[in-house]
Amino acid sequence: NVYRTAVKYNPDNAETRMDLAEALLINGQIQAAENELNRILERDPESVQALLRLGEVTAARGRWWRDDPIFYWKRVLKIEPDNLTARQYLSDFYLDRAEAALSWNNYSVAVEMYRQALEYKPESAQILAALGGCYIRTGDTDEARSYIEKALAQAPRDLDVYGEIIRAWFD
């Protein structure tokens, strides 16, 4: 209520509106928070903070058939091409999609999703290893070897990378 009152008396203050949106989210009022984030974007279409949060809320709601969180995060990257948070959100989103595809043995979709994730985190040995693992599972050992060698070159002591490779060979 304090934030609502503050917004009422100073509707142009984006920081107060963002605080209101955060308070609404904490209070479980998701739709009201989304509405407030959209109001921020109406006033400032390039509000990186609002775009990031709206993408995060959209992804958490799981309504990808209606709203696509990728849209918001890619808008952030148009404004700030090196925004690490947007890159992380995009990478995580594609990694989740890749894992879902793998669970259904849909390797072609998993490969595409891993490639998308790699676009936003090209230095990730974990993603390189997972992509190599997909190629192992499809029998394309030459392509698998290429990604695995890159992964091991980037993180030669990372046990998670080795674990990813070993799981793929066992599968």
Side-chain angles (χ1 to χ4, degrees):
N1 286 332
V2 171
Y3 287 124
R4 283 191 174 139
T5 302
V7 166
K8 179 180 173 182
Y9 287 104
N10 192 1
D12 295 327
N13 188 315
E15 187 176 327
T16 304
R17 283 189 174 278
M18 196 67 200
D19 289 340
L20 172 58
E22 292 296 330
L24 290 166
L25 286 170
I26 290 168
N27 200 33
Q29 296 173 284
I30 308 299
Q31 188 60 53
E34 279 187 70
N35 293 341
E36 197 57 46
L37 290 167
N38 282 316
R39 285 187 196 101
I40 294 168
L41 291 173
E42 285 172 9
R43 294 172 185 271
D44 179 10
E46 294 190 353
S47 172
V48 169
Q49 191 177 8
L51 288 167
L52 287 171
R53 195 62 164 135
L54 195 53
E56 187 180 2
V57 169
T58 302
R61 289 186 94 176
R63 297 183 315 187
W64 50 265
W65 62 89
R66 186 176 146 236
D67 297 319
D68 192 358
I70 294 170
F71 168 77
Y72 300 109
W73 299 326
K74 285 186 176 183
R75 272 181 60 187
V76 169
L77 291 179
K78 285 182 181 176
I79 298 164
E80 295 178 4
D82 295 326
N83 187 293
L84 295 178
T85 304
R87 288 183 170 283
Q88 183 68 48
Y89 284 153
L90 283 161
S91 178
D92 289 347
F93 183 82
Y94 286 119
L95 284 173
D96 288 344
R97 291 275 175 96
E99 293 298 321
L102 274 180
S103 72
W104 291 95
N105 296 326
N106 191 342
Y107 302 118
S108 62
V109 171
V111 164
E112 181 56 33
M113 294 298 106
Y114 281 130
R115 286 179 188 251
Q116 290 287 330
L118 198 57
E119 181 179 325
Y120 298 104
K121 286 186 75 179
E123 76 290 344
S124 174
Q126 191 77 22
I127 297 172
L128 289 166
L131 194 49
C134 276
Y135 284 115
I136 288 171
R137 289 174 180 100
T138 63
D140 189 347
T141 55
D142 291 335
E143 196 69 21
R145 184 175 291 117
S146 167
Y147 285 104
I148 290 169
E149 287 173 357
K150 288 177 191 175
L152 293 174
Q154 285 189 8
R157 300 191 194 290
D158 188 339
L159 295 179
D160 290 332
V161 170
Y162 283 96
E164 183 70 43
I165 296 165
I166 290 167
R167 276 191 300 279
W169 280 114
F170 281 136
D171 285 350

